[in-house]
mmCIF file of all heavy atoms in Angstrom:
data_model
loop_
_atom_site.group_PDB
_atom_site.id
_atom_site.type_symbol
_atom_site.label_atom_id
_atom_site.label_comp_id
_atom_site.label_asym_id
_atom_site.label_seq_id
_atom_site.Cartn_x
_atom_site.Cartn_y
_atom_site.Cartn_z
ATOM 1 N N VAL E 22 -123.323 -29.555 -102.393
ATOM 2 C CA VAL E 22 -122.222 -29.613 -103.352
ATOM 3 C C VAL E 22 -122.420 -30.783 -104.311
ATOM 4 O O VAL E 22 -122.182 -30.679 -105.519
ATOM 5 C CB VAL E 22 -120.873 -29.721 -102.621
ATOM 6 C CG1 VAL E 22 -119.728 -29.917 -103.599
ATOM 7 C CG2 VAL E 22 -120.636 -28.486 -101.777
ATOM 8 N N PHE E 23 -122.868 -31.921 -103.769
ATOM 9 C CA PHE E 23 -123.082 -33.096 -104.621
ATOM 10 C C PHE E 23 -124.195 -32.840 -105.630
ATOM 11 O O PHE E 23 -124.125 -33.305 -106.769
ATOM 12 C CB PHE E 23 -123.422 -34.300 -103.752
ATOM 13 C CG PHE E 23 -123.527 -35.589 -104.526
ATOM 14 C CD1 PHE E 23 -122.393 -36.261 -104.927
ATOM 15 C CD2 PHE E 23 -124.764 -36.117 -104.846
ATOM 16 C CE1 PHE E 23 -122.478 -37.439 -105.639
ATOM 17 C CE2 PHE E 23 -124.868 -37.292 -105.552
ATOM 18 C CZ PHE E 23 -123.722 -37.973 -105.947
ATOM 19 N N SER E 24 -125.229 -32.084 -105.235
ATOM 20 C CA SER E 24 -126.301 -31.754 -106.175
ATOM 21 C C SER E 24 -125.795 -30.866 -107.300
ATOM 22 O O SER E 24 -126.149 -31.064 -108.468
ATOM 23 C CB SER E 24 -127.438 -31.047 -105.422
ATOM 24 O OG SER E 24 -127.953 -31.870 -104.397
ATOM 25 N N VAL E 25 -124.949 -29.896 -106.955
ATOM 26 C CA VAL E 25 -124.344 -29.058 -107.997
ATOM 27 C C VAL E 25 -123.512 -29.912 -108.943
ATOM 28 O O VAL E 25 -123.529 -29.724 -110.164
ATOM 29 C CB VAL E 25 -123.492 -27.946 -107.356
ATOM 30 C CG1 VAL E 25 -122.724 -27.171 -108.422
ATOM 31 C CG2 VAL E 25 -124.376 -27.004 -106.563
ATOM 32 N N PHE E 26 -122.776 -30.888 -108.377
ATOM 33 C CA PHE E 26 -121.981 -31.781 -109.225
ATOM 34 C C PHE E 26 -122.877 -32.590 -110.152
ATOM 35 O O PHE E 26 -122.521 -32.818 -111.323
ATOM 36 C CB PHE E 26 -121.151 -32.716 -108.349
ATOM 37 C CG PHE E 26 -120.558 -33.878 -109.104
ATOM 38 C CD1 PHE E 26 -119.504 -33.692 -109.977
ATOM 39 C CD2 PHE E 26 -121.072 -35.158 -108.948
ATOM 40 C CE1 PHE E 26 -118.967 -34.756 -110.675
ATOM 41 C CE2 PHE E 26 -120.545 -36.229 -109.641
ATOM 42 C CZ PHE E 26 -119.487 -36.021 -110.505
ATOM 43 N N ALA E 27 -124.036 -33.044 -109.648
ATOM 44 C CA ALA E 27 -124.939 -33.832 -110.491
ATOM 45 C C ALA E 27 -125.430 -33.007 -111.680
ATOM 46 O O ALA E 27 -125.480 -33.496 -112.810
ATOM 47 C CB ALA E 27 -126.115 -34.341 -109.665
ATOM 48 N N VAL E 28 -125.783 -31.728 -111.443
ATOM 49 C CA VAL E 28 -126.213 -30.861 -112.540
ATOM 50 C C VAL E 28 -125.051 -30.599 -113.496
ATOM 51 O O VAL E 28 -125.213 -30.619 -114.731
ATOM 52 C CB VAL E 28 -126.783 -29.538 -111.989
ATOM 53 C CG1 VAL E 28 -127.144 -28.591 -113.120
ATOM 54 C CG2 VAL E 28 -127.999 -29.809 -111.123
ATOM 55 N N SER E 29 -123.847 -30.371 -112.935
ATOM 56 C CA SER E 29 -122.682 -30.162 -113.792
ATOM 57 C C SER E 29 -122.379 -31.400 -114.615
ATOM 58 O O SER E 29 -121.982 -31.295 -115.787
ATOM 59 C CB SER E 29 -121.466 -29.797 -112.928
ATOM 60 O OG SER E 29 -121.721 -28.653 -112.140
ATOM 61 N N MET E 30 -122.562 -32.575 -114.015
ATOM 62 C CA MET E 30 -122.315 -33.812 -114.754
ATOM 63 C C MET E 30 -123.312 -33.980 -115.898
ATOM 64 O O MET E 30 -122.976 -34.557 -116.936
ATOM 65 C CB MET E 30 -122.388 -34.999 -113.800
ATOM 66 C CG MET E 30 -121.917 -36.314 -114.421
ATOM 67 S SD MET E 30 -120.271 -36.223 -115.159
ATOM 68 C CE MET E 30 -119.286 -35.869 -113.724
ATOM 69 N N LEU E 31 -124.541 -33.473 -115.726
ATOM 70 C CA LEU E 31 -125.491 -33.485 -116.835
ATOM 71 C C LEU E 31 -124.957 -32.673 -118.006
ATOM 72 O O LEU E 31 -125.028 -33.103 -119.167
ATOM 73 C CB LEU E 31 -126.841 -32.921 -116.377
ATOM 74 C CG LEU E 31 -127.893 -32.688 -117.471
ATOM 75 C CD1 LEU E 31 -128.278 -34.003 -118.137
ATOM 76 C CD2 LEU E 31 -129.115 -31.985 -116.901
ATOM 77 N N LEU E 32 -124.373 -31.513 -117.706
ATOM 78 C CA LEU E 32 -123.793 -30.674 -118.753
ATOM 79 C C LEU E 32 -122.618 -31.377 -119.411
ATOM 80 O O LEU E 32 -122.508 -31.419 -120.647
ATOM 81 C CB LEU E 32 -123.357 -29.346 -118.146
ATOM 82 C CG LEU E 32 -122.682 -28.340 -119.081
ATOM 83 C CD1 LEU E 32 -123.616 -27.955 -120.212
ATOM 84 C CD2 LEU E 32 -122.255 -27.111 -118.303
ATOM 85 N N VAL E 33 -121.719 -31.948 -118.601
ATOM 86 C CA VAL E 33 -120.567 -32.653 -119.162
ATOM 87 C C VAL E 33 -121.020 -33.866 -119.963
ATOM 88 O O VAL E 33 -120.429 -34.207 -120.996
ATOM 89 C CB VAL E 33 -119.612 -33.064 -118.022
ATOM 90 C CG1 VAL E 33 -118.464 -33.923 -118.549
ATOM 91 C CG2 VAL E 33 -119.054 -31.834 -117.330
ATOM 92 N N CYS E 34 -122.082 -34.518 -119.507
ATOM 93 C CA CYS E 34 -122.611 -35.691 -120.217
ATOM 94 C C CYS E 34 -123.083 -35.306 -121.610
ATOM 95 O O CYS E 34 -122.871 -36.051 -122.579
ATOM 96 C CB CYS E 34 -123.735 -36.314 -119.403
ATOM 97 S SG CYS E 34 -124.441 -37.802 -120.116
ATOM 98 N N LEU E 35 -123.712 -34.141 -121.726
ATOM 99 C CA LEU E 35 -124.161 -33.688 -123.043
ATOM 100 C C LEU E 35 -122.976 -33.397 -123.964
ATOM 101 O O LEU E 35 -123.005 -33.708 -125.156
ATOM 102 C CB LEU E 35 -125.031 -32.444 -122.888
ATOM 103 C CG LEU E 35 -126.366 -32.655 -122.150
ATOM 104 C CD1 LEU E 35 -127.060 -31.325 -121.938
ATOM 105 C CD2 LEU E 35 -127.264 -33.602 -122.930
ATOM 106 N N ILE E 36 -121.926 -32.796 -123.399
ATOM 107 C CA ILE E 36 -120.732 -32.555 -124.208
ATOM 108 C C ILE E 36 -120.104 -33.877 -124.613
ATOM 109 O O ILE E 36 -119.671 -34.056 -125.767
ATOM 110 C CB ILE E 36 -119.726 -31.690 -123.426
ATOM 111 C CG1 ILE E 36 -120.368 -30.378 -122.999
ATOM 112 C CG2 ILE E 36 -118.478 -31.420 -124.247
ATOM 113 C CD1 ILE E 36 -119.512 -29.544 -122.084
ATOM 114 N N ALA E 37 -120.037 -34.813 -123.664
ATOM 115 C CA ALA E 37 -119.455 -36.116 -123.968
ATOM 116 C C ALA E 37 -120.262 -36.844 -125.033
ATOM 117 O O ALA E 37 -119.694 -37.573 -125.863
ATOM 118 C CB ALA E 37 -119.381 -36.958 -122.695
ATOM 119 N N ALA E 38 -121.583 -36.643 -125.040
ATOM 120 C CA ALA E 38 -122.408 -37.288 -126.061
ATOM 121 C C ALA E 38 -122.009 -36.829 -127.458
ATOM 122 O O ALA E 38 -121.973 -37.630 -128.403
ATOM 123 C CB ALA E 38 -123.886 -36.989 -125.799
ATOM 124 N N ALA E 39 -121.693 -35.533 -127.590
ATOM 125 C CA ALA E 39 -121.219 -35.046 -128.891
ATOM 126 C C ALA E 39 -119.892 -35.698 -129.259
ATOM 127 O O ALA E 39 -119.659 -36.065 -130.417
ATOM 128 C CB ALA E 39 -121.069 -33.526 -128.843
ATOM 129 N N GLY E 40 -119.002 -35.841 -128.262
ATOM 130 C CA GLY E 40 -117.726 -36.488 -128.532
ATOM 131 C C GLY E 40 -117.892 -37.945 -128.911
ATOM 132 O O GLY E 40 -117.224 -38.442 -129.834
ATOM 133 N N PHE E 41 -118.789 -38.653 -128.241
ATOM 134 C CA PHE E 41 -119.010 -40.061 -128.568
ATOM 135 C C PHE E 41 -119.700 -40.225 -129.922
ATOM 136 O O PHE E 41 -119.510 -41.245 -130.599
ATOM 137 C CB PHE E 41 -119.820 -40.730 -127.468
ATOM 138 C CG PHE E 41 -119.070 -40.890 -126.177
ATOM 139 C CD1 PHE E 41 -119.672 -40.612 -124.964
ATOM 140 C CD2 PHE E 41 -117.751 -41.300 -126.170
ATOM 141 C CE1 PHE E 41 -118.979 -40.735 -123.781
ATOM 142 C CE2 PHE E 41 -117.048 -41.441 -124.989
ATOM 143 C CZ PHE E 41 -117.662 -41.164 -123.795
ATOM 144 N N ALA E 42 -120.507 -39.246 -130.306
ATOM 145 C CA ALA E 42 -121.093 -39.287 -131.650
ATOM 146 C C ALA E 42 -120.005 -39.184 -132.709
ATOM 147 O O ALA E 42 -120.067 -39.846 -133.762
ATOM 148 C CB ALA E 42 -122.105 -38.154 -131.805
ATOM 149 N N VAL E 43 -118.990 -38.355 -132.438
ATOM 150 C CA VAL E 43 -117.853 -38.262 -133.356
ATOM 151 C C VAL E 43 -117.105 -39.590 -133.409
ATOM 152 O O VAL E 43 -116.688 -40.054 -134.478
ATOM 153 C CB VAL E 43 -116.923 -37.113 -132.934
ATOM 154 C CG1 VAL E 43 -115.630 -37.117 -133.740
ATOM 155 C CG2 VAL E 43 -117.633 -35.775 -133.089
ATOM 156 N N VAL E 44 -116.920 -40.215 -132.224
ATOM 157 C CA VAL E 44 -116.243 -41.514 -132.181
ATOM 158 C C VAL E 44 -117.032 -42.551 -132.968
ATOM 159 O O VAL E 44 -116.454 -43.362 -133.719
ATOM 160 C CB VAL E 44 -116.070 -41.961 -130.716
ATOM 161 C CG1 VAL E 44 -115.554 -43.400 -130.648
ATOM 162 C CG2 VAL E 44 -115.108 -41.041 -129.997
ATOM 163 N N ALA E 45 -118.350 -42.544 -132.811
ATOM 164 C CA ALA E 45 -119.184 -43.501 -133.546
ATOM 165 C C ALA E 45 -119.042 -43.312 -135.049
ATOM 166 O O ALA E 45 -118.943 -44.291 -135.808
ATOM 167 C CB ALA E 45 -120.643 -43.337 -133.123
ATOM 168 N N HIS E 46 -119.014 -42.061 -135.511
ATOM 169 C CA HIS E 46 -118.854 -41.822 -136.950
ATOM 170 C C HIS E 46 -117.452 -42.225 -137.417
ATOM 171 O O HIS E 46 -117.288 -42.778 -138.518
ATOM 172 C CB HIS E 46 -119.104 -40.354 -137.260
ATOM 173 C CG HIS E 46 -118.966 -40.023 -138.714
ATOM 174 N ND1 HIS E 46 -119.830 -40.493 -139.676
ATOM 175 C CD2 HIS E 46 -118.042 -39.269 -139.384
ATOM 176 C CE1 HIS E 46 -119.466 -40.055 -140.869
ATOM 177 N NE2 HIS E 46 -118.374 -39.308 -140.714
ATOM 178 N N ARG E 47 -116.438 -41.974 -136.583
ATOM 179 C CA ARG E 47 -115.075 -42.317 -136.963
ATOM 180 C C ARG E 47 -114.905 -43.833 -137.060
ATOM 181 O O ARG E 47 -114.112 -44.326 -137.865
ATOM 182 C CB ARG E 47 -114.103 -41.724 -135.939
ATOM 183 C CG ARG E 47 -112.641 -41.918 -136.268
ATOM 184 C CD ARG E 47 -111.783 -41.288 -135.189
ATOM 185 N NE ARG E 47 -111.973 -39.846 -135.163
ATOM 186 C CZ ARG E 47 -112.049 -39.116 -134.058
ATOM 187 N NH1 ARG E 47 -111.981 -39.710 -132.880
ATOM 188 N NH2 ARG E 47 -112.207 -37.814 -134.121
ATOM 189 N N ARG E 48 -115.610 -44.571 -136.229
ATOM 190 C CA ARG E 48 -115.498 -46.029 -136.230
ATOM 191 C C ARG E 48 -116.592 -46.696 -137.059
ATOM 192 O O ARG E 48 -116.799 -47.902 -136.946
ATOM 193 C CB ARG E 48 -115.571 -46.555 -134.795
ATOM 194 C CG ARG E 48 -114.390 -46.152 -133.948
ATOM 195 C CD ARG E 48 -114.493 -46.740 -132.572
ATOM 196 N NE ARG E 48 -113.386 -46.352 -131.717
ATOM 197 C CZ ARG E 48 -113.298 -46.648 -130.442
ATOM 198 N NH1 ARG E 48 -114.266 -47.344 -129.852
ATOM 199 N NH2 ARG E 48 -112.250 -46.265 -129.730
ATOM 200 N N GLN E 49 -117.279 -45.913 -137.859
ATOM 201 C CA GLN E 49 -118.412 -46.469 -138.604
ATOM 202 C C GLN E 49 -117.982 -47.610 -139.514
ATOM 203 O O GLN E 49 -118.649 -48.648 -139.579
ATOM 204 C CB GLN E 49 -119.057 -45.350 -139.429
ATOM 205 C CG GLN E 49 -120.315 -45.779 -140.172
ATOM 206 C CD GLN E 49 -121.010 -44.596 -140.821
ATOM 207 O OE1 GLN E 49 -121.091 -43.531 -140.230
ATOM 208 N NE2 GLN E 49 -121.476 -44.784 -142.042
ATOM 209 N N ARG E 50 -116.859 -47.447 -140.221
ATOM 210 C CA ARG E 50 -116.406 -48.510 -141.120
ATOM 211 C C ARG E 50 -115.983 -49.739 -140.324
ATOM 212 O O ARG E 50 -116.262 -50.880 -140.725
ATOM 213 C CB ARG E 50 -115.257 -48.007 -141.980
ATOM 214 C CG ARG E 50 -114.738 -49.025 -142.980
ATOM 215 C CD ARG E 50 -113.711 -48.399 -143.895
ATOM 216 N NE ARG E 50 -114.348 -47.412 -144.770
ATOM 217 C CZ ARG E 50 -113.681 -46.566 -145.544
ATOM 218 N NH1 ARG E 50 -112.346 -46.570 -145.520
ATOM 219 N NH2 ARG E 50 -114.313 -45.721 -146.324
ATOM 220 N N GLN E 51 -115.309 -49.551 -139.197
ATOM 221 C CA GLN E 51 -114.913 -50.690 -138.374
ATOM 222 C C GLN E 51 -116.137 -51.436 -137.846
ATOM 223 O O GLN E 51 -116.169 -52.668 -137.818
ATOM 224 C CB GLN E 51 -114.051 -50.205 -137.209
ATOM 225 C CG GLN E 51 -112.732 -49.581 -137.648
ATOM 226 C CD GLN E 51 -112.034 -48.879 -136.505
ATOM 227 O OE1 GLN E 51 -112.673 -48.351 -135.606
ATOM 228 N NE2 GLN E 51 -110.701 -48.855 -136.558
ATOM 229 N N LEU E 52 -117.151 -50.677 -137.425
ATOM 230 C CA LEU E 52 -118.376 -51.311 -136.963
ATOM 231 C C LEU E 52 -119.075 -52.051 -138.094
ATOM 232 O O LEU E 52 -119.680 -53.108 -137.878
ATOM 233 C CB LEU E 52 -119.308 -50.256 -136.350
ATOM 234 C CG LEU E 52 -118.794 -49.563 -135.078
ATOM 235 C CD1 LEU E 52 -119.751 -48.477 -134.644
ATOM 236 C CD2 LEU E 52 -118.603 -50.574 -133.956
ATOM 237 N N GLY E 53 -119.008 -51.484 -139.311
ATOM 238 C CA GLY E 53 -119.583 -52.173 -140.460
ATOM 239 C C GLY E 53 -118.886 -53.487 -140.732
ATOM 240 O O GLY E 53 -119.537 -54.505 -141.031
ATOM 241 N N LEU E 54 -117.552 -53.499 -140.654
ATOM 242 C CA LEU E 54 -116.811 -54.749 -140.836
ATOM 243 C C LEU E 54 -117.161 -55.750 -139.743
ATOM 244 O O LEU E 54 -117.290 -56.956 -140.009
ATOM 245 C CB LEU E 54 -115.307 -54.456 -140.825
ATOM 246 C CG LEU E 54 -114.754 -53.708 -142.037
ATOM 247 C CD1 LEU E 54 -113.297 -53.333 -141.809
ATOM 248 C CD2 LEU E 54 -114.889 -54.556 -143.291
ATOM 249 N N LEU E 55 -117.298 -55.268 -138.514
ATOM 250 C CA LEU E 55 -117.662 -56.153 -137.414
ATOM 251 C C LEU E 55 -119.044 -56.754 -137.633
ATOM 252 O O LEU E 55 -119.268 -57.945 -137.380
ATOM 253 C CB LEU E 55 -117.627 -55.366 -136.102
ATOM 254 C CG LEU E 55 -117.634 -56.174 -134.802
ATOM 255 C CD1 LEU E 55 -116.392 -57.037 -134.699
ATOM 256 C CD2 LEU E 55 -117.736 -55.250 -133.598
ATOM 257 N N ALA E 56 -119.976 -55.930 -138.126
ATOM 258 C CA ALA E 56 -121.313 -56.452 -138.416
ATOM 259 C C ALA E 56 -121.289 -57.429 -139.589
ATOM 260 O O ALA E 56 -122.053 -58.396 -139.624
ATOM 261 C CB ALA E 56 -122.266 -55.295 -138.714
ATOM 262 N N ALA E 57 -120.393 -57.184 -140.549
ATOM 263 C CA ALA E 57 -120.323 -58.059 -141.721
ATOM 264 C C ALA E 57 -119.835 -59.458 -141.368
ATOM 265 O O ALA E 57 -120.171 -60.425 -142.063
ATOM 266 C CB ALA E 57 -119.395 -57.438 -142.775
ATOM 267 N N VAL E 58 -119.058 -59.593 -140.289
ATOM 268 C CA VAL E 58 -118.557 -60.914 -139.895
ATOM 269 C C VAL E 58 -119.450 -61.571 -138.846
ATOM 270 O O VAL E 58 -119.059 -62.583 -138.265
ATOM 271 C CB VAL E 58 -117.112 -60.821 -139.372
ATOM 272 C CG1 VAL E 58 -116.179 -60.343 -140.459
ATOM 273 C CG2 VAL E 58 -117.021 -59.913 -138.154
#
């Protein structure tokens, strides 16, 4: 069961990566301001 969960977590991790990419783009200006200071 734990092995199945590990494979499922790989799938969820890929979906989460897309979500975090959206977060990174949404915070791009904030990150730019942080880098500017």
Side-chain angles (χ1 to χ4, degrees):
V22 175
F23 186 78
S24 301
V25 173
F26 166 73
V28 176
S29 303
M30 190 53 63
L31 172 63
L32 178 60
V33 174
C34 182
L35 295 174
I36 303 173
F41 291 137
V43 172
V44 172
H46 180 67
R47 184 180 295 140
R48 293 182 181 174
Q49 184 173 320
R50 182 174 292 170
Q51 296 169 329
L52 295 175
L54 290 173
L55 195 63
V58 297

